[in-house]
Amino acid sequence: MPNVYMPHGITLKYIDPVREAVKIPVLVGGCRIDDGEMAENAIASGKCDGVVLARALLAEPEFGNKVREGRGNEICPCIGCNNCLMSHVVTGKPRCAVNPVDMAEESPEILPAEQKKKVVIIGGGVSGMEAAIICAKRGHTVDLYEKTGELGGNLHPAGGHSFKEDIRKLNRWYIEELDRRGVKVHLNTELNAVQIKALKPDVCLVAVGSYPVMPESIPGISKGVDAVSAATGKFKPRGDNVVVVGGGLTGCEIAMDYAMQGKKVTIVEYEKKVMSVGLPTFYSNLTYILVMFYGLGVRQLTGHKLEEVTDNGVIVSNVDTGEKMEVPASDVIIAMGLKANTSVASELEGSGIEVHEIGDAVEIGNIATSTRSAFEVCANL
């Protein structure tokens, strides 16, 4: 069950001994071949007789048709998050993070709307882009407004690491799909409630996303750097001794990235284990990170609470004993979660506009929760 941190086509190199040992056709699967060209090359080169698609078909059910029709660039990519496997373990259904329709037989289909509406979407992150695509598929007229100069929202920090090309690929797919669907995108445009009302939309979807938490109650917190700045590369560590406060998936990926760059990294985590709270991480992904930590020498200071950020590092306390200790660091990264941005939804009440909040504006989550939030609203508009 290869994950996002592993290269695509990882099992292709193991085929030769199998082909030498058997006289029957050899099919290759389990290696995240979610690219039509890679699949065709594997067969044409004689590496294998056929390619087995699994997760790639959850992300893009029209994979085969799009390859055959020369539309391989339109394939929605599998991002290797293994949400499908995690959800299968938990619920018995392999739900795809980037395809909210997958295994959603109990939900409405994305059908042409009986009444075409003018839809305004505020926010160009995952939920906003997904909502725009679904609405356009249904025949609505869609305008998407993003206050920054680029689409993607938290896909940028999520895809900022060297090993997260799949996230960057997903964001490119979203941008191109918006264009293919005829969605009008307005960048560098932040709308307030008055401006939204002046547009006279039938529906306004608020997908304003979230921002990193930097608790002001912690002394010296401003001396630390937020996780988004670290993950996107906007901040470059000043030295080689980095402390990452927060051992969720975001903090662990930042720690792994810095460790891969040769830095000495310590994770400070309140819980007894890293990646033990919040949305679950599939064990293939989780185990890979822990193995990398072991090989890279990442220190896991679990069961400790951040008390202060100093000029020389951090002061932490043992959750059980209260004993304090200082951890030296040249740089301190704060990865203590996200908080929803301020929404204009309440200011639109009574305006006659149908208003829905989606994505992190409703509940802080991940790509899977963001796409599903958009789907559940837009499939019913």
Side-chain angles (χ1 to χ4, degrees):
M1 295 169 283
N3 53 57
V4 65
Y5 313 114
M6 298 178 178
H8 292 255
I10 191 171
T11 57
L12 286 171
K13 59 184 177 182
Y14 302 115
I15 292 179
D16 290 344
V18 177
R19 292 187 69 83
E20 294 172 3
V22 301
K23 304 299 182 183
I24 57 177
V26 176
L27 309 181
V28 62
C31 58
R32 296 189 61 219
I33 293 182
D34 56 0
D35 176 87
E37 187 174 350
M38 178 183 285
E40 290 183 343
N41 288 341
I43 297 170
S45 67
K47 271 283 184 183
C48 60
D49 298 291
V51 171
V52 180
L53 301 175
R55 286 172 287 177
L57 285 175
L58 296 181
E60 178 55 81
E62 293 296 315
F63 187 105
N65 291 332
K66 289 184 177 181
V67 170
R68 184 178 63 240
E69 295 166 6
R71 298 188 292 128
N73 62 307
E74 297 180 23
I75 292 174
C76 181
C78 167
I79 58 174
C81 65
N82 282 332
N83 183 81
C84 53
L85 297 170
M86 187 74 250
S87 62
H88 190 227
V89 171
V90 175
T91 69
K93 287 188 175 183
R95 297 297 300 273
C96 178
V98 299
N99 178 16
V101 181
D102 168 47
M103 294 293 174
E105 290 88 350
E106 73 284 358
S107 301
E109 294 183 67
I110 299 179
L111 299 173
E114 293 182 5
Q115 179 183 353
K116 304 299 187 286
K117 299 177 181 179
K118 179 179 180 180
V119 180
V120 165
I121 299 175
I122 309 300
V126 176
S127 56
M129 292 190 292
E130 182 71 34
I133 291 168
I134 294 174
C135 287
K137 283 182 178 179
R138 301 198 63 212
H140 299 305
T141 300
V142 186
D143 283 83
L144 174 63
Y145 292 85
E146 165 58 39
K147 69 177 182 179
T148 70
E150 57 185 0
L151 295 170
N154 281 335
L155 285 180
H156 291 289
H161 307 296
S162 59
F163 43 77
K164 298 296 282 293
E165 167 59 24
D166 290 317
I167 302 297
R168 298 191 289 275
K169 184 178 180 181
L170 175 66
N171 196 35
R172 291 194 296 270
W173 177 85
Y174 266 121
I175 293 171
E176 292 169 4
E177 187 70 5
L178 289 170
D179 184 59
R180 285 190 288 266
R181 297 289 175 181
V183 174
K184 295 179 182 177
V185 176
H186 309 264
L187 299 177
N188 298 304
T189 307
E190 184 173 9
L191 299 183
N192 58 34
V194 173
Q195 293 168 318
I196 294 171
K197 292 175 184 177
L199 293 173
K200 297 181 179 179
D202 299 303
V203 181
C204 179
L205 303 177
V206 183
V208 292
S210 54
Y211 63 94
V213 172
M214 296 284 283
E216 295 181 0
S217 59
I218 298 176
I221 194 72
S222 61
K223 297 176 182 178
V225 176
D226 68 85
V228 169
S229 296
T232 55
K234 292 179 180 178
F235 166 78
K236 302 295 183 183
R238 295 161 298 192
D240 293 324
N241 194 358
V242 180
V243 166
V244 178
V245 181
L249 181 60
T250 297
C252 285
E253 287 187 341
I254 291 173
M256 184 167 70
D257 196 352
Y258 283 149
M260 290 170 66
Q261 297 173 35
K263 301 187 184 302
K264 182 180 179 181
V265 182
T266 299
I267 291 179
V268 175
E269 168 56 40
Y270 184 88
E271 301 295 335
K272 300 300 182 183
K273 294 181 180 180
V274 296
M275 294 182 286
S276 60
V277 297
L279 294 170
T281 301
F282 188 62
Y283 69 81
S284 168
N285 303 49
L286 185 151
T287 304
Y288 186 95
I289 292 176
L290 295 179
V291 170
M292 288 292 287
F293 280 178
Y294 178 80
L296 294 167
V298 174
R299 180 188 183 191
Q300 299 174 53
L301 194 58
T302 54
H304 281 76
K305 176 185 177 182
L306 176 65
E307 297 288 349
E308 182 180 354
V309 180
T310 69
D311 292 330
N312 301 312
V314 296
I315 296 175
V316 300
S317 62
N318 187 294
V319 172
D320 295 324
T321 67
E323 181 182 357
K324 293 185 178 181
M325 64 181 290
E326 184 173 6
V327 183
S330 55
D331 304 277
V332 179
I333 309 301
I334 309 298
M336 300 177 70
L338 300 168
K339 186 175 181 179
N341 285 314
T342 303
S343 168
V344 297
S346 61
E347 300 177 53
L348 296 174
E349 291 180 3
S351 64
I353 302 171
E354 183 180 349
V355 181
H356 299 276
E357 292 183 285
I358 56 177
D360 282 358
V362 179
E363 180 182 6
I364 302 299
N366 54 22
I367 292 174
T369 58
S370 294
T371 59
R372 204 155 303 148
S373 173
F375 167 68
E376 289 172 356
V377 170
C378 298
N380 290 291
L381 287 181

